[in-house]
Amino acid sequence: MSNLKQLAQSLGLSITTVSRALDGYADVSPATRERVREAADKVGYRPNASARRLRKQRAELVAVTLPSDPGHIGPPHFIDMLSGCAEHLAGAGLNLVIAPVPRGESELEMCRRFVDGRRVDAMLLVRTKRHDERVEFLQSRGIPFVTNGRTESLMPHAFIDGDGFSGFREATLRFHAAGHRRIGHIAGPQEYYFAHARHRGWQAAMDECGLEADLCAEGAPTEQGGYLAALELLRLPRRPTALVCATDEMAIGALRALREIEGGEAISIVGHDDLPIGAFASPPLSTMRMTGENLGASFASLLLRAIAGEPAESLQELRPIEFVDRESHRRPFPEA
């Protein structure tokens, strides 16, 4: 049986009733819905997916845009999170589409194409900026979305974020309690909210301890960015004895810089994100991570609730940071 009309005729039902039964509408009795589904399965009938989306006014897609370099799409922890998110969205009949941003195009332009073309039901935004044009655009269009990270938007929006301020404050205080007085910070670009919050946490701890917060270098949130920022600090006349790095990728780049200078093995270091590669660095990298299991499932849950119309104020999760202690933050240092 090749079409909806033939299926309806075989059941003695109208085409509209059969169509609505297959789409699960509540105005068709459960008994009729089951009868229609059994008949469709028996003859191998499958509804046209495009027609179903048009009838339901749904694209059945959630999109996430990721900046990309040749052969590389996003930091590893984003990919792991998106995999879990996709699995749980699929259970609700939604597909997660990862859209690498072509070189020369902005994420905002891609968001505009998805939304204005009615190609998505919702969006997931990662690596938010303090003043994020993507957030402002989606709010102006009334499109459901969730962000991985906060912004400084005056209008509330759904998010999951780690408390980077508290995490970096505590990491710096731990170094101070261990005897360090020259505690440096390798910061990410300050237009990103995560980098700004982590920098403020380091700054607050340095102020509490009465220490000069002058050992700070900013770089791209990559291994290369961390390497170059670390070299900048290590070339100072009084270099740091400890480094608090905005990301694990930056910390791994900084570890290379430490291996290239005399006495680098005496400088302690800590990162953030708990990337698997950190456990295999030399020395194994101490780090921080956001608490909570199965982050992808949590994002999927918030997306579904946002699509269902729950207010943004009830869809905000700020999670504590926990430490993953390995060897790199306990390195002996000279009393200088």
Side-chain angles (χ1 to χ4, degrees):
M1 189 171 296
S2 59
N3 60 48
L4 184 65
K5 181 178 180 180
Q6 289 175 328
L7 179 61
Q9 288 175 341
S10 71
L11 291 166
L13 299 171
S14 70
I15 293 175
T16 298
T17 298
V18 171
S19 174
R20 295 182 71 80
L22 291 171
D23 284 341
Y25 281 92
D27 59 355
V28 180
S29 71
T32 299
R33 291 202 301 268
E34 183 62 24
R35 178 184 167 215
V36 170
R37 279 196 292 267
E38 287 180 355
D41 289 341
K42 183 176 181 180
V43 299
Y45 173 78
R46 293 291 179 269
N48 180 281
S50 297
R52 290 184 73 184
R53 286 195 292 269
L54 287 172
R55 288 196 302 273
K56 299 170 81 172
Q57 293 297 299
R58 287 183 59 186
E60 298 180 356
L61 294 177
V62 174
V64 55
T65 58
L66 286 180
S68 62
D69 294 320
H72 179 75
I73 302 177
H77 59 293
F78 285 161
I79 303 303
D80 290 343
M81 178 269 287
L82 294 175
S83 176
C85 184
E87 180 180 349
H88 284 79
L89 287 176
L94 293 169
N95 294 311
L96 181 68
V97 176
I98 299 176
V101 181
R103 187 171 294 181
E105 186 171 352
S106 72
E107 288 187 71
L108 177 61
E109 290 170 332
M110 289 201 71
C111 288
R112 193 181 302 277
R113 286 213 311 272
F114 277 124
V115 171
D116 290 349
R118 298 184 179 180
R119 301 176 185 177
V120 295
D121 297 309
M123 294 200 68
L124 174 61
L125 305 181
V126 300
R127 192 155 275 180
T128 50
K129 294 185 176 181
R130 295 165 62 191
H131 306 286
D132 202 307
E133 292 180 321
R134 301 170 302 168
V135 167
E136 295 172 357
F137 169 72
L138 294 176
Q139 287 175 328
S140 72
R141 291 292 197 273
I143 297 297
F145 69 97
V146 178
T147 63
N148 180 196
R150 288 166 286 167
T151 69
E152 295 177 1
S153 172
L154 296 178
M155 186 182 301
H157 62 83
F159 68 78
I160 298 177
D161 198 8
D163 189 355
F165 175 90
S166 296
F168 275 66
R169 174 181 170 274
E170 180 60 28
T172 306
L173 292 176
R174 292 175 92 200
F175 276 142
H176 182 264
H180 293 275
R181 296 299 179 264
R182 298 195 302 279
I183 306 168
H185 177 45
I186 295 181
Q190 291 300 290
E191 66 264 29
Y192 290 104
Y193 192 96
F194 82 91
H196 183 61
R198 295 171 190 181
H199 176 268
R200 288 193 300 109
W202 167 78
Q203 174 84 57
M206 296 296 281
D207 291 345
E208 287 179 45
C209 297
L211 301 175
E212 288 290 330
D214 56 345
L215 296 173
C216 179
E218 184 177 320
T222 62
E223 293 90 346
Q224 177 76 358
Y227 171 74
L228 295 175
L231 287 180
E232 181 180 335
L233 295 179
L234 296 172
R235 289 170 179 154
L236 296 174
R238 284 175 58 80
R239 65 193 189 194
T241 62
L243 292 171
V244 184
C245 302
T247 70
D248 278 359
E249 289 173 294
M250 300 186 82
I252 289 168
L255 282 174
R256 176 184 166 182
L258 295 181
R259 289 193 293 269
E260 294 180 356
I261 66 162
E262 184 179 354
E265 72 283 351
I267 297 176
S268 296
I269 187 168
V270 65
H272 186 290
D273 291 331
D274 192 23
L275 297 185
I277 193 174
F280 300 95
S282 181
L285 180 65
S286 296
T287 186
M288 298 172 256
R289 65 187 175 200
M290 183 165 50
T291 59
E293 298 297 324
N294 205 332
L295 187 59
S298 297
F299 274 108
S301 175
L302 286 194
L303 281 163
L304 293 173
R305 291 166 61 191
I307 292 171
E310 288 194 35
E313 293 87 345
S314 66
L315 303 175
Q316 298 177 337
E317 296 185 15
L318 182 61
R319 299 187 175 188
I321 297 298
E322 61 185 5
F323 291 94
V324 181
D325 291 336
R326 299 192 181 105
E327 295 177 22
S328 69
H329 81 291
R330 293 192 290 259
R331 305 172 90 177
F333 66 98
E335 299 290 342

